[in-house]
Amino acid sequence: NSIWVSTDHDEIEKVAKQFGAQVHRRSPEVSQDSSTSLEAIREFLNHHHEVDIVGNIQATSPCLHPSDLIKVADLIQKEGFDSVFSVVRRHQFRWSEVKKGENKMTEPQNLNPAKRCRRQDWPGELYENGSFYFAKRHLIEKGYLQGGKMAYYEMRAEHSVDIDIDIDWPIAEQRVLSFGYFGKEPLKEVKLLVCSIDGCLTNGRIYVTEDQKEMVSYDYRDMVGIDLLKKKGIQVRLISERDCSKTLSAMQLGCIAKVSATNKLEVLENWQKDMGLSWKEVAYLGNEESDVECLKNAGMSGVPADACAVAQKAAGYICKSNGGCGAVREFAEHIFLLLEKVNSARKR
């Protein structure tokens, strides 16, 4: 009936509202490092007496699909269960732990070594995967997320991703690409990247020699990134508020560029229309206040790590690299990740 994000963070509140969620502002008492989900949910219910069932979705499980949540809601609303939680089937043989210094042997926990079967022939066991917990109000008020008439909901293994530690990230990333939920609207490939020159392609510094000639520096990795984008069929165009024609000529990038651009959004709109692209097919990398409207309109937007605050707030992706230090290459990799998602969705 309603979707809420529980947070004590201004930026998370802003993003949540942009995506259509309502926000419950957590109190400091339930916003500690040691605070539990149950504490936050109980506080929420104290402010929302109209809510009688809560579905607590864990942010660390990024492969959850809406169809699973709908089925779980039906188990409570139509079949009378008081609580439902998510599990996954695992085929792992367990042995008892022997602590260092103990004069004991390990013992099998869920197998008979004398009649050991192949794991794939064994039905396995059910484990909580932490993806979601649904419960009725009366249980939560008593301090339980699981209780009463209970049921588990078995999720498919490919959808069961739990991020706990750093090494879980690359595994989750690949799993999301293949099995994640990307919404009902089809994903679009990026076909145009527009990059601000000063502060993105370069570090924004201008060196002036004694004979008044200007020099700028750039990172070779960014040149490689532009070349890789072109090989993937993505056009790369450059834009700048100042006249840097000589610099671009020296860099020999072979990209269409617009310099002395007083209105970057107008230039971007003209390019978009001339190429017959939707905004979702346009990516933009900027770093200054003059880039904000372009960042807001582009389907994919990014800024270097050292971009100004207003540009960072408008962007969908903040690079780890500074401008002129690999940010273009990094953003190119981010675009390639989207292309993989598009291809995965098409295959499905």
Side-chain angles (χ1 to χ4, degrees):
N1 300 111
S2 58
I3 300 170
W4 295 79
V5 171
S6 170
T7 184
D8 66 335
H9 194 280
D10 293 340
E11 191 64 21
I12 292 175
E13 176 177 6
K14 178 183 173 184
V15 173
K17 288 180 175 178
Q18 285 175 350
F19 281 86
Q22 299 179 71
V23 173
H24 168 71
R25 290 294 299 208
R26 289 190 185 200
S27 68
E29 290 74 26
V30 299
S31 301
Q32 307 301 314
D33 288 343
S34 57
S35 297
T36 65
S37 298
L38 180 60
E39 290 171 338
I41 295 169
R42 292 179 74 176
E43 181 187 71
F44 170 83
L45 287 177
N46 287 336
H47 290 84
H48 295 276
H49 299 286
E50 77 281 5
V51 175
D52 57 356
I53 300 170
V54 172
N56 177 39
I57 302 169
Q58 306 277 61
T60 48
S61 299
C63 274
L64 182 60
H65 284 233
S67 57
D68 289 329
L69 298 176
I70 292 168
K71 291 172 185 174
V72 171
D74 285 344
L75 285 172
I76 290 184
Q77 293 174 312
K78 297 178 181 179
E79 297 189 33
F81 286 97
D82 296 310
S83 61
V84 184
F85 55 93
S86 58
V87 299
V88 65
R89 189 172 298 275
R90 290 181 181 165
H91 297 80
Q92 296 173 323
F93 293 140
R94 291 182 288 107
W95 292 78
S96 62
E97 182 179 357
V98 177
K99 294 181 180 178
K100 191 173 181 179
E102 289 183 343
N103 187 23
K104 292 195 308 185
M105 292 191 302
T106 185
E107 297 287 341
Q109 298 288 301
N110 61 352
L111 76 153
N112 181 354
K115 297 181 180 180
R116 185 184 179 95
C117 65
R118 297 190 312 164
R119 287 196 300 171
Q120 59 265 44
D121 295 331
W122 174 55
E125 297 178 327
L126 297 177
Y127 288 79
E128 283 188 35
N129 66 357
S131 189
F132 58 77
Y133 298 86
F134 276 63
K136 290 184 177 178
R137 170 186 279 273
H138 70 86
L139 274 177
I140 297 170
E141 288 177 338
K142 292 176 182 177
Y144 302 102
L145 279 174
Q146 295 160 300
K149 185 181 177 183
M150 283 187 291
Y152 62 77
Y153 180 87
E154 185 175 348
M155 288 177 60
R156 290 164 57 181
E158 59 267 32
H159 293 166
S160 184
V161 178
D162 188 21
I163 301 174
D164 280 329
I165 54 178
D166 289 350
I167 60 173
D168 292 334
W169 275 103
I171 298 170
E173 212 168 54
Q174 291 306 311
R175 194 76 68 86
V176 168
L177 285 176
S178 298
F179 305 109
Y181 179 76
F182 305 120
K184 293 180 180 178
E185 191 174 342
L187 289 168
K188 291 278 184 93
E189 289 185 22
V190 169
K191 295 182 179 176
L192 170 66
L193 166 63
V194 177
C195 175
S196 182
I197 298 169
D198 303 302
C200 290
L201 187 59
T202 73
N203 61 10
R205 295 177 180 174
I206 300 173
Y207 304 89
V208 182
T209 62
E210 289 182 355
D211 56 355
Q212 297 185 332
K213 290 182 178 179
E214 291 185 0
M215 293 190 301
V216 297
S217 66
Y218 63 89
D219 194 310
Y220 179 70
R221 291 172 296 177
D222 292 332
M223 305 301 105
V224 173
I226 289 174
D227 189 48
L228 289 172
L229 286 162
K230 289 180 178 179
K231 287 178 180 176
K232 294 272 189 182
I234 299 170
Q235 271 207 47
V236 180
R237 297 189 178 186
L238 306 173
I239 194 167
S240 175
E241 291 174 278
R242 67 186 189 91
D243 186 359
C244 52
S245 304
K246 291 182 180 179
T247 301
L248 289 172
S249 178
M251 294 170 82
Q252 297 182 333
L253 296 172
C255 299
I256 293 173
K258 175 66 177 176
V259 298
S260 305
T262 55
N263 188 329
K264 290 182 178 179
L265 180 60
E266 186 177 313
V267 173
L268 185 61
E269 286 176 334
N270 288 335
W271 282 343
Q272 175 221 348
K273 290 173 183 174
D274 289 344
M275 294 177 67
L277 302 178
S278 68
W279 279 115
K280 290 202 170 183
E281 296 170 301
V282 177
Y284 191 92
L285 185 66
N287 72 304
E288 275 298 341
E289 194 167 344
S290 58
D291 296 307
V292 167
E293 292 306 313
C294 295
L295 292 166
K296 287 181 177 178
N297 280 278
M300 181 177 278
S301 59
V303 293
D306 56 350
C308 73
V310 288
Q312 288 192 11
K313 287 184 178 179
Y317 180 79
I318 300 176
C319 297
K320 296 181 180 68
S321 307
N322 289 340
C325 298
V328 178
R329 174 62 189 270
E330 185 182 337
F331 193 55
E333 295 289 347
H334 187 59
I335 292 173
F336 297 151
L337 197 64
L338 175 74
L339 293 178
E340 287 187 50
K341 288 182 181 180
V342 173
N343 291 331
S344 293
R346 285 175 177 169
K347 287 176 185 175
R348 289 199 302 277

